Amino acid sequence: ISGVLFVALSVLPFREWLINAIPRNLKQGIAGGIGLFLGFIALQNAGLVGDNPATLVQIAAITAFPAAACLLGFVLIVALTALRVPGAVIIGILSVAALGWFTGQVSFQGVFSAPPSPAPVLFQLDIAGAFQLSMVTVILSFLIVDVFDTAGTLVGVAMRANLLDANHKLPRLRRALLADSGATVAGAVFGTSSTTSFIESGAGVEAGGRTGLTAVVCGVLFITCLFLAPLAQSIPAYATASALLFVACLMAQSLATLDWADGTESAPAIVAAIAMPLTFSIADGIGLGFITYAAVKIFTGKFFRCSPVVYVIALIFVLKYTVIV
């Protein structure tokens, strides 16, 4: 149901209008925040940071093999990229994975296997159960997270790929939105969690993928991976963490181009960037950024200097935090 509403918003001008109306500095903050979020995920996957009841996070097993291997892979990727070696990210991932195999830190689980039966989840929809008053807030929460997570991902990855036009808008945006929202519906019918754009796409962009053909080839390879699950499972998380940490550094560069001279522009962008990793949510980072942006413009007498969309989005998040949650 959330996916169907998502498609409706993508067909109507609302969602395209929403994304294109995001202020330029806030877009840069979102892109940078996604970078910081990716970096946090990478450090977690490598075991470099862990939880602490007093300080929330702390440095973890930095001398353990996964952490050391991740940092080694990261340094290798950075060095190869600086030397303009093609495929630097893949070389780094495979090098760290091979190191893990040869040292016995991770087991090579094989290459081929038959995919499991989809019967337990395929078309298993409890439509009647969703039409209850108690489910309204759940559906709206899914919808808001879907809409704004995707908005942040599209903006962040498109900025890194230099796909925005001179007005900092994403051309042919409606097609991307329909593909994304359609995938949400299809994923639900097939029994997966919400299928949406992923911030890890930044790694593919950095490797040179900037066209629809890249996505089609990647999709075909994912289908192939249904039969290559053991091989995919043989790549440890700390190997891919090296790549994520590298992409995080690249995406965080967008913070350098903020309008630092205008605090009403830069401060909300930084709030959005910091909030993404610390709330572990792109949508919540965007929400806090918009609320801050709108409030600052109102209190500085600059109410009419930004699009009404900013105030609409800020109000949506205020309602989400005070009513929907």
Side-chain angles (χ1 to χ4, degrees), residues 202-211 214:
V205 165
E206 194 55 37
R210 286 173 169 79
T211 68
T214 304

Side-chain angles (χ1 to χ4, degrees), residues 2-3 6-7 15 142 145-147 149-150 176-198 222:
S2 169
F6 202 15
V7 171
R15 197 171 165 218
F142 264 113
V145 171
D146 251 355
V147 168
D149 258 15
T150 302
L177 299 178
L178 285 173
D180 181 76
S181 55
T184 300
V185 176
V189 171
F190 290 135
T192 73
S193 55
S194 285
T195 307
T196 184
S197 307
F198 274 74
F222 266 116

Side-chain angles (χ1 to χ4, degrees), residues 5-16:
L5 293 173
F6 202 15
V7 171
L9 290 177
S10 299
V11 171
L12 297 171
F14 172 77
R15 197 171 165 218
E16 189 174 1

Side-chain angles (χ1 to χ4, degrees), residues 247-267:
V247 174
C249 296
L250 298 176
M251 295 194 71
Q253 292 174 8
S254 66
L255 296 175
T257 56
L258 287 175
D259 183 4
W260 293 102
D262 186 351
T264 66
E265 293 287 333
S266 60

Side-chain angles (χ1 to χ4, degrees), residues 149-167:
D149 258 15
T150 302
T153 301
L154 286 174
V155 168
V157 175
M159 285 191 68
R160 186 61 207 171
N162 295 320
L163 293 176
L164 299 184
D165 62 19
N167 296 317

